[in-house]
Amino acid sequence: MKRTERVGAIIKTLTDTPNKLYPLQYFCDAFDVAKSSISEDINIADTAVRFTGTGYIETISGAKGGVRFSPDITPEQLLVLQEEFCSRIKDSSRILGGGFLYTSDIMFDTHLMNRLATVFAKKFKEKEADYVATVETKGISLASMVARQLNLPLIIIRREAKVSEGSTVSINYFSGSYDRVQKMSISKRAVVPGSKAIIIDDFMRGGGSTKGISDILSEFEVTVVGTGIAIASMLPEKKKIDDYTAIVFLGDVDEEQKTIEVIPNYQIF
Amino acid sequence: MKRTERVGAIIKTLTDTPNKLYPLQYFCDAFDVAKSSISEDINIADTAVRFTGTGYIETISGAKGGVRFSPDITPEQLLVLQEEFCSRIKDSSRILGGGFLYTSDIMFDTHLMNRLATVFAKKFKEKEADYVATVETKGISLASMVARQLNLPLIIIRREAKVSEGSTVSINYFSGSYDRVQKMSISKRAVVPGSKAIIIDDFMRGGGSTKGISDILSEFEVTVVGTGIAIASMLPEKKKIDDYTAIVFLGDVDEEQKTIEVIPNYQIF
């Protein structure tokens, strides 16, 4: 097999499973070549991947070492992505009244979500989280992509305790968006007490729902080490949680003028 | 830039967005080289990707032509995947009583779901579907991965009509698993009437829920052109829908003996 093909096959394998560590020996066996050749291949693979601006290949030394692909995004690509996301949101036909916007088509555009996920995968990579957590339903596609890119298990918090979840812990919390008390429930089997989680959600207004996720996780002594929100509203300025990263900010939704104000968050990194 | 690096960058770009068609010119511009060179690069990229058994690169000729990556799985890899999936399910600690199994940790293992998704992406590739559809919640991660691999929008059918969905169509259906009437709701904005959909779900017992998805889609004159189920129970043998593809079949769950019978579907392709 030629080097060009080997490098291609290495890239395909590593990028299929982001942040999964492969021992160098894995590729030596797959291609039946020496470690020195594989090391060179990996350097070339890294250059190729970096050229696309979508990630890099890291070599971790030591007995438990190996090689892995980490997704990345350049500042220029981030801005392009944010502007595309803003312009999708700005479409005035999304206005549902009562300040609500229809965004399901965006949040279930999986190629777009996969790109947004990279922003959070980059932002939270060093947090050493054990899980990605979200509450059903609209953020699940995004959270799935983040979990995949960080090679972490996903925890879905349910609105209702389901028989297929086994024994569950539930809490009630106040949602400002819906102006009522809502419920959240999490399977006891889903979480190891004392672990660390990243929260991912599609939308935040007052932060009640995100605070709810944080509260229910704290029932298991799980520490929240990062919170990523696709769209955060500018108002109210004071949220129920302080520390979160939004990709874009939603301003005024004017039902009469049919305008939607939305701007990129320029301070993600 | 060297050929080896260029081939790597092409692979990364194509495999990031499966089944998305790129004009050859896209890569000519990206690397500032002639079409003849890019054509050769793509042949090498195809060989490299095929070596991993995880897909192939197709060139579509004509004015609307271009190049795209299609995910694939070899018969040997499929069997390995099915056996891994079976052995994860067989763990006796999953037994919840009443014939229910705890499977959320599996259905939210996004690397595993991404591999299972390839089975359905391969199976349904030629169906020319317009959407991938699922009902919340447990199949969403799998359905997201299928939608991403087929480059199709995802439709999530909700259990409850939400204000953020705008105007919705709802149906009631009988779920054998839960032995009660359940509700499903779909946003009118989510679907173009007269289109085609693939249904993806995590589990099927009697097929009531899948039949429900099909029924609610038929309210929009949407034709179901394929149904993929991660785990289908062997009993009842007669389901409410006839045409579906399961990855594995679940047999007897013996609460006393603490055994779970589960076998691969050997007739997927």
Side-chain angles (χ1 to χ4, degrees), chain A residues 5 8 11-12 31 48 51 54 93 104 108 110-111 114 136-137 141 144 148 151 154 156 163 165 178 189, chain B residues 5 8 11-12 31 48 51 54 93 104 108 110-111 114 136-137 141 144 148 151 156 163 165 178 189:
Chain A
E5 291 164 12
I11 290 176
K12 179 69 173 76
F31 303 113
F51 178 83
T54 59
S93 71
S104 293
F108 298 132
T110 54
H111 278 186
N114 197 40
E136 57 187 357
T137 298
S141 190
S144 289
R148 177 176 167 265
N151 190 22
L154 178 64
I156 306 291
V163 57
E165 296 291 299
Y178 290 96
R189 291 171 186 244
Chain B
E5 291 163 13
I11 290 177
K12 179 69 175 75
F31 304 113
F51 178 82
T54 58
S93 71
S104 294
F108 298 132
T110 54
H111 278 186
N114 197 39
E136 54 186 359
T137 299
S141 188
S144 290
R148 177 175 167 266
N151 191 22
I156 305 291
V163 58
E165 296 291 298
Y178 289 96
R189 291 172 185 243

Side-chain angles (χ1 to χ4, degrees), chain A residues 131-168:
Chain A
Y131 302 99
V132 170
T134 193
V135 64
E136 57 187 357
T137 298
K138 237 158 68 187
I140 297 181
S141 190
L142 175 60
S144 289
M145 301 299 170
V146 176
R148 177 176 167 265
Q149 290 189 28
L150 286 171
N151 190 22
L152 291 177
L154 178 64
I155 301 174
I156 306 291
I157 297 161
R158 314 289 291 250
R159 295 286 180 191
E160 214 186 315
K162 291 284 199 178
V163 57
S164 61
E165 296 291 299
S167 84
T168 55

Side-chain angles (χ1 to χ4, degrees), chain A residues 203-234:
Chain A
F203 183 71
M204 181 195 287
R205 190 171 304 218
S209 172
T210 315
K211 175 77 163 40
I213 300 176
S214 177
D215 286 348
I216 198 166
L217 288 171
S218 74
E219 293 287 325
F220 296 89
E221 288 149 55
V222 170
T223 314
V224 175
V225 292
T227 299
I229 308 289
I231 310 168
S233 75
M234 289 178 205

Side-chain angles (χ1 to χ4, degrees), chain B residues 7-69:
Chain B
V7 169
I10 290 173
I11 290 177
K12 179 69 175 75
T13 304
L14 292 177
T15 59
D16 261 0
T17 47
N19 278 307
K20 182 176 161 179
L21 204 62
Y22 288 80
L24 274 190
Q25 194 60 44
Y26 177 90
F27 295 108
C28 298
D29 296 344
F31 304 113
D32 197 20
V33 289
K35 257 189 191 165
S36 55
S37 293
I38 293 293
S39 290
E40 267 184 74
D41 290 350
I42 282 165
N43 284 337
I44 301 169
D46 182 40
T47 309
V49 167
R50 280 180 199 265
F51 178 82
T52 66
T54 58
Y56 51 92
I57 294 169
E58 287 177 297
T59 305
I60 316 287
S61 53
K64 288 200 167 179
V67 60
R68 72 177 169 208
F69 166 72

Side-chain angles (χ1 to χ4, degrees), chain B residues 1-268:
Chain B
M1 191 179 203
K2 287 179 194 155
R3 161 147 285 159
T4 324
E5 291 163 13
R6 223 161 52 214
V7 169
I10 290 173
I11 290 177
K12 179 69 175 75
T13 304
L14 292 177
T15 59
D16 261 0
T17 47
N19 278 307
K20 182 176 161 179
L21 204 62
Y22 288 80
L24 274 190
Q25 194 60 44
Y26 177 90
F27 295 108
C28 298
D29 296 344
F31 304 113
D32 197 20
V33 289
K35 257 189 191 165
S36 55
S37 293
I38 293 293
S39 290
E40 267 184 74
D41 290 350
I42 282 165
N43 284 337
I44 301 169
D46 182 40
T47 309
V49 167
R50 280 180 199 265
F51 178 82
T52 66
T54 58
Y56 51 92
I57 294 169
E58 287 177 297
T59 305
I60 316 287
S61 53
K64 288 200 167 179
V67 60
R68 72 177 169 208
F69 166 72
S70 284
D72 197 4
I73 186 165
T74 64
E76 298 73 34
Q77 283 174 336
L78 174 60
L79 207 59
V80 168
L81 174 60
Q82 287 176 309
E83 278 169 2
E84 183 183 328
F85 193 35
C86 285
S87 87
R88 291 278 299 269
I89 297 167
K90 268 181 188 163
D91 176 352
S92 64
S93 71
R94 303 196 169 279
I95 300 176
L96 291 171
F100 286 95
L101 288 185
Y102 182 77
T103 58
S104 294
D105 59 324
I106 301 179
M107 299 310 299
F108 298 132
D109 174 334
T110 54
H111 278 186
L112 180 61
M113 287 308 109
N114 197 39
R115 289 161 67 206
L116 294 185
T118 304
V119 180
F120 295 134
K122 178 177 182 170
K123 177 79 186 175
F124 301 127
K125 192 196 163 192
E126 308 299 338
K127 298 288 184 183
E128 296 185 350
D130 303 293
Y131 303 101
V132 170
T134 194
V135 64
E136 54 186 359
T137 299
K138 237 160 66 188
I140 297 179
S141 188
L142 175 60
S144 290
M145 300 299 170
V146 176
R148 177 175 167 266
Q149 290 190 27
L150 286 171
N151 191 22
L152 291 176
L154 178 65
I155 302 175
I156 305 291
I157 298 161
R158 313 289 293 247
R159 296 287 181 190
E160 214 186 316
K162 291 283 198 179
V163 58
S164 59
E165 296 291 298
S167 84
T168 56
V169 170
S170 295
I171 61 159
N172 293 300
Y173 71 97
F174 184 76
S175 162
S177 300
Y178 289 96
D179 197 27
R180 65 165 191 237
V181 171
Q182 298 242 76
K183 205 176 154 180
M184 268 185 204
S185 141
I186 195 166
S187 169
K188 281 190 175 177
R189 291 172 185 243
V191 194
V192 175
S195 50
K196 291 191 268 188
I198 293 162
I199 297 174
I200 299 293
D201 214 352
D202 62 309
F203 183 71
M204 181 195 287
R205 189 171 306 216
S209 171
T210 316
K211 175 75 165 40
I213 300 176
S214 177
D215 286 349
I216 199 166
L217 288 171
S218 73
E219 293 287 325
F220 296 88
E221 288 151 54
V222 170
T223 313
V224 175
V225 293
T227 300
I229 307 289
I231 309 169
S233 74
M234 291 178 205
L235 293 177
E237 212 175 306
K238 177 85 190 131
K239 311 284 194 206
K240 282 182 181 150
I241 67 153
D242 296 322
D243 188 18
Y244 67 93
T245 302
I247 293 180
V248 298
F249 293 113
L250 180 68
D252 194 42
V253 176
D254 189 324
E255 288 181 51
E256 280 191 14
Q257 300 291 321
K258 293 197 178 298
T259 54
I260 300 163
E261 186 190 1
V262 50
I263 55 163
N265 175 6
Y266 295 108
Q267 290 167 337
I268 292 180

